[in-house]
Amino acid sequence: MRTPIIAGNWKMNNTNAAAEQLINELKPLVADAKAEVVICVPYTAIATAARLTKGSNIKVGAENVSWADKGAFTGEISAEMLKEVGAEYVIIGHSERRQMFGETDETVNKRTVQALKNGLKPIVCVGETLQERESDRTKDVVKTQTAGAFAGMQAADLDNVVIAYEPVWAIGTGKTATAEQANETIAYIRSVVADLFGKTAADKLRIQYGGSMNPQNAAALMAQPDIDGGLIGGASLKAVDFSKVVKY
Ligand code: 13P
């Protein structure tokens, strides 16, 4: 009943010229996909991506959004600006932003509220570091991050939200959580959402896995009952690899 969603996170990769090449290669490869297909691209490539994917089954997302409407926020990009150039989704709270750019549960919450208020669909990222996993704090961490991200919201707000569970130690390292490990934490996140917003909202909510997901491990991950999709970094930069994940 939950439509699988496979999203690429290009991170800081691809000029407009490279984006054009990649998207043109990708389009025919995923045209018959059963999963929802999204590419989250750098701000500068959103308009290009929206133009090239028009009329196709590929949706476009951004990788961050300001929590403010407009004004003196040098270097920030507003939800209205993202919508104008064709973004439908937006990644919020990626671990790279939490680790390198001072993102906190509070700012993740503010950005998520702002995205929803403007009709953007947030892909909210949560996940533990290696140290947190080894000290048996995975559940505490994802619970705090999940409660923090959706503080002050109502169950209905979750209709347009996707959560991405990305264990930090599995991102870009080639180390994937085993399918069972990923499912266990994702099922736990779903139980946290059920406690906060009720079982109906939790059952409807799509939760992705992210972290070294690739054509080789996608099928096993997607076979798990609580895993509803993937957020794909490295493998989303190659059309053939990404299409194979999309068609796990
Ligand atoms: P990799 O797929 O490169 O490990 O990146 C995962 C990720 O961070 C997606 O947001």
Side-chain angles (χ1 to χ4, degrees):
M1 74 182 235
R2 297 187 294 262
T3 307
I5 175 167
I6 307 288
N9 174 9
W10 285 7
K11 308 191 178 184
M12 197 174 74
N13 293 291
N14 290 330
T15 59
N16 274 281
E20 182 156 355
Q21 213 175 342
L22 177 51
I23 292 167
N24 284 336
E25 206 184 324
L26 183 64
K27 264 198 294 192
L29 295 176
V30 300
D32 58 347
K34 294 196 179 68
E36 187 174 349
V37 185
V38 183
I39 51 173
C40 297
V41 307
Y43 292 132
T44 48
I46 293 173
T48 296
R51 174 173 57 82
L52 293 170
T53 57
K54 204 169 176 190
S56 81
N57 62 330
I58 302 174
K59 295 168 182 171
V60 176
E63 300 176 13
N64 193 13
V65 62
S66 172
W67 59 70
D69 287 336
K70 59 154 100 173
F73 299 95
T74 303
E76 290 292 286
I77 302 285
S78 75
E80 186 185 16
M81 293 166 182
L82 294 180
K83 293 267 292 183
E84 183 193 42
V85 289
E88 180 174 339
Y89 281 88
V90 59
I91 296 172
I92 296 175
H94 192 278
S95 63
E96 287 150 17
R97 297 218 62 87
R98 292 179 190 260
Q99 290 189 318
M100 292 184 277
F101 302 102
E103 200 75 64
T104 65
D105 291 338
E106 193 194 344
T107 59
V108 169
N109 178 248
K110 288 167 73 174
R111 293 185 205 279
T112 304
V113 169
Q114 180 71 358
L116 287 170
K117 194 177 93 182
N118 287 275
L120 283 168
K121 299 172 183 165
I123 299 176
V124 176
C125 302
V126 301
E128 82 286 3
T129 63
L130 183 60
Q131 199 194 0
E132 288 162 345
R133 174 161 284 262
E134 286 175 344
S135 55
D136 218 16
R137 287 170 52 217
T138 298
K139 286 187 173 173
D140 278 354
V141 169
V142 297
K143 182 179 185 176
T144 304
Q145 289 177 341
T146 302
F150 305 115
M153 293 189 201
Q154 311 295 320
D157 294 325
L158 293 191
D159 285 352
N160 289 314
V161 166
V162 174
I163 293 181
Y165 167 58
E166 300 204 305
V168 177
W169 48 273
I171 294 178
T173 57
K175 276 191 201 168
T176 341
T178 64
E180 292 75 19
Q181 270 177 331
N183 191 70
E184 186 190 347
T185 308
I186 287 177
Y188 176 71
I189 294 168
R190 199 180 300 287
S191 77
V192 169
V193 173
D195 287 345
L196 293 168
F197 298 101
K199 190 171 181 310
T200 309
D203 284 344
K204 279 195 291 186
L205 178 69
R206 293 182 294 177
I207 309 182
Q208 301 170 312
Y209 168 78
S212 298
M213 195 162 162
N214 59 41
Q216 286 73 45
N217 58 31
L221 287 159
M222 293 302 294
Q224 293 290 326
D226 275 287
I227 302 182
D228 305 316
L231 187 56
I232 323 298
S236 74
L237 300 175
K238 295 198 181 110
V240 171
D241 284 359
F242 186 58
S243 72
K244 284 183 179 163
V245 176
V246 165
K247 300 206 264 182
Y248 58 87

